[in-house]
Amino acid sequence: MKHISILIPRGNASLSNIESTYKMFTEVNNAFDRMKKAPLFKIQLVGLSQETTLSNGLFSIKPDLTIDEVTKTDLIVIPAVHGDMAKVVSDNSDFIPWIIKQYKGGAEVVSLCIGAFILAATGLLKGKNCTTHWLAAAEFRQMYPDINLMPYKIITDEGGIYTSGGAYSSLNLLLYLIEKFSGRDMAITSSKMFEIDIERNSQSLFIIFHGQKNHEDDTIKKAQEYIEQNYAGKITVDQLASTLAMSRRHLERRFKKATSNTVVEYMQRVRIEAAKMSLETLRENVNEVMYNVGYTDTKAFRETFKKITGVSPVEYRNKYNKIAVAAH
């Protein structure tokens, strides 16, 4: 039987992460019981103390065990904890040596949503791929620059460490683990029971691009603002470099360091975000939107749009435009 430790962190921890993890693995056990088979999992809530208050005292949870009482576990699940991430990590630092010890003893480790910040503090993600909520990507990169963050991913799986994207996309990781531990048929049954799309593998459709300005390079901020104000026209990297009185090579190096995007990638993301807004709210057709955001090549626009959002412009409009939805 696989022992699952669902951590109960200090602070504003996600009750939905905790409850859904407990419920989904418990339901697998129930399904095995109905088939007259032994349960696969022993699921326990594990905390730093015998009672933990959440959401500024609105809720409290009494863990089954404290970390001192768990000598061996097989799977550790770290839920999201909201708030100031540096404080969240500090408040839960007592978990870190225990997680490291359990991982070195053979346990696997899961982070859900921004639970990745606590997982990253263990050092176990260093040099590895991981994901978290796309809204927290800039802060995560700032705190943990030696981790390969992939904010478009719903799931990463590397070396016995699993991470999930933001909010309820954690359910997709739980399905993934159910399939890994109990088989495809049980994962499909769980997806139907909990009404979760088993094939969803990207956060791209949900990302709202606000521009990465959480840095101190004022010259690059000017470059970003220039792009955001002039995206509908023809902007070249050489023109932008000349406007800022620097070489193209120097601009590209500083831009990538500050924003994690190349200049061209940033232009694309600004234009596609503008296109998304138009497709959501206006009556214009796809070609009109394309021209309004600075594209003249239909193929290039559609390929870039799909690369960034995961769907075609038409699919996006049909999904989010009120007029298009009403027509259906």
Side-chain angles (χ1 to χ4, degrees), residues 1-4 24-26 28-29 32 38-43 75 177-178 181-182 186:
M1 186 184 296
K2 184 178 289 290
H3 184 268
I4 298 177
M24 289 179 70
F25 282 115
T26 297
V28 172
N29 280 347
F32 272 77
L40 287 183
F41 309 115
K42 182 173 183 179
I43 310 136
L75 186 73
L177 294 170
I178 286 170
F181 301 141
S182 58
M186 186 58 68

Side-chain angles (χ1 to χ4, degrees), residues 65 68 104 167 193 297:
L65 302 165
D68 296 331
K104 289 181 177 178
M193 183 176 301
D297 185 324

Side-chain angles (χ1 to χ4, degrees), residues 49-285:
S49 57
Q50 294 181 346
E51 182 170 296
T52 302
T53 59
L54 310 176
S55 302
N56 297 317
L58 187 60
F59 304 104
S60 64
I61 293 182
K62 294 181 179 179
D64 300 297
L65 302 165
T66 65
I67 55 173
D68 296 331
E69 297 172 299
V70 181
T71 55
K72 178 82 169 66
T73 192
D74 300 300
L75 186 73
I76 299 167
V77 180
I78 307 170
V81 188
H82 303 281
D84 178 278
M85 286 298 111
K87 186 176 187 306
V88 165
V89 171
S90 175
D91 288 347
N92 290 284
S93 60
D94 289 344
F95 276 120
I96 290 171
W98 181 81
I99 294 169
I100 295 169
K101 179 182 177 182
Q102 294 296 329
Y103 180 74
K104 289 181 177 178
E108 296 184 300
V109 187
V110 177
S111 71
L112 305 179
C113 188
I114 53 176
F117 282 81
I118 295 174
L119 174 56
T122 66
L124 298 176
L125 278 173
K126 187 174 181 179
K128 292 185 173 69
N129 297 327
C130 88
T131 188
T132 188
H133 197 298
W134 59 268
L135 273 172
E139 186 175 7
F140 189 92
R141 286 193 178 103
Q142 190 173 43
M143 286 180 66
Y144 304 109
D146 55 357
I147 296 171
N148 182 25
L149 182 66
M150 307 176 77
Y152 302 104
K153 290 279 192 180
I154 289 287
I155 295 167
T156 66
D157 171 358
E158 187 172 354
I161 297 178
Y162 311 87
T163 66
S164 79
Y168 295 102
S169 67
S170 60
L171 299 175
N172 293 91
L173 177 52
L174 296 176
L175 273 183
Y176 178 86
L177 294 170
I178 286 170
E179 179 171 356
K180 181 169 184 175
F181 301 141
S182 58
R184 178 71 174 177
D185 289 345
M186 186 58 68
I188 291 172
T189 299
S190 297
S191 76
K192 291 178 178 178
M193 183 176 301
F194 292 100
E195 300 189 19
I196 305 165
D197 182 358
I198 198 169
E199 298 301 337
R200 189 156 72 90
N201 57 17
S202 174
Q203 294 189 80
S204 297
L205 184 63
F206 309 107
I207 292 175
I208 302 170
F209 183 66
H210 295 296
Q212 299 107 327
K213 297 192 177 74
N214 189 24
H215 60 80
E216 304 302 322
D217 193 326
D218 290 336
T219 301
I220 297 306
K221 285 180 182 177
K222 289 179 182 177
Q224 291 172 268
E225 288 164 4
Y226 183 89
I227 292 169
E228 290 160 13
Q229 292 165 8
N230 298 279
Y231 65 83
K234 183 175 175 59
I235 307 173
T236 67
V237 181
D238 286 330
Q239 172 196 344
L240 188 59
S242 177
T243 300
L244 296 167
M246 64 173 68
S247 70
R248 173 174 178 151
R249 183 177 179 182
H250 189 47
L251 169 63
E252 290 184 323
R253 181 182 62 79
R254 281 174 61 177
F255 201 99
K256 177 75 172 178
K257 181 180 179 182
T259 70
S260 300
N261 283 131
T262 66
V263 179
V264 171
E265 286 170 345
Y266 198 87
M267 291 178 188
Q268 290 175 338
R269 294 192 68 182
V270 169
R271 285 171 170 158
I272 296 304
E273 191 61 33
K276 285 165 59 183
M277 295 298 293
S278 294
L279 291 169
E280 289 173 22
T281 59
L282 303 179
R283 293 177 178 271
E284 296 167 331
N285 63 38

